[in-house]
Amino acid sequence: MLLDGPDEAPLTVVLAHGAGAPMDSPFMAFFAEGLARHRFGVARFEFPYMAARRTGAKPRKSSGRTERQNWDEALAELAEFLSGL
């Protein structure tokens, strides 16, 4: 997970990449940095199939249910992080 913006941000926006580019793509960085300049917290996360592409592993086809579970896991990880601030 990549985090941008101030720790004391009153609102955090969670962004997930699309099918063609990872969470640290210039496109995603542009929006995350723009939101952070306006004092939003931004959390970017990556679906497992995109993480697999980084290592050269063959990505598994995922179902909507799996992607929903990935969102739930990312939100839980973010909630745990934010509770420690």
Side-chain angles (χ1 to χ4, degrees):
M1 186 169 290
L2 298 175
L3 301 172
D4 298 281
D7 287 345
E8 66 280 356
L11 181 67
T12 298
V13 177
V14 181
L15 300 176
H17 59 82
M23 67 180 170
D24 57 353
S25 69
F27 178 82
M28 293 284 286
F30 173 81
F31 284 99
E33 291 164 6
L35 287 165
R37 277 193 302 277
H38 291 281
R39 307 208 31 85
F40 286 94
V42 182
R44 294 180 270 165
F45 78 95
E46 201 155 68
F47 291 109
Y49 74 85
M50 187 60 71
R53 288 183 186 176
R54 289 181 182 275
T55 64
K58 184 176 180 180
R60 295 180 315 168
K61 186 170 178 105
S62 64
S63 68
R65 182 170 184 236
T66 300
E67 289 179 4
R68 173 58 194 259
Q69 289 171 338
N70 297 144
W71 270 100
D72 290 345
E73 290 166 5
L75 294 173
E77 181 181 336
L78 179 60
E80 183 176 333
F81 173 80
L82 292 174
S83 71
L85 293 181

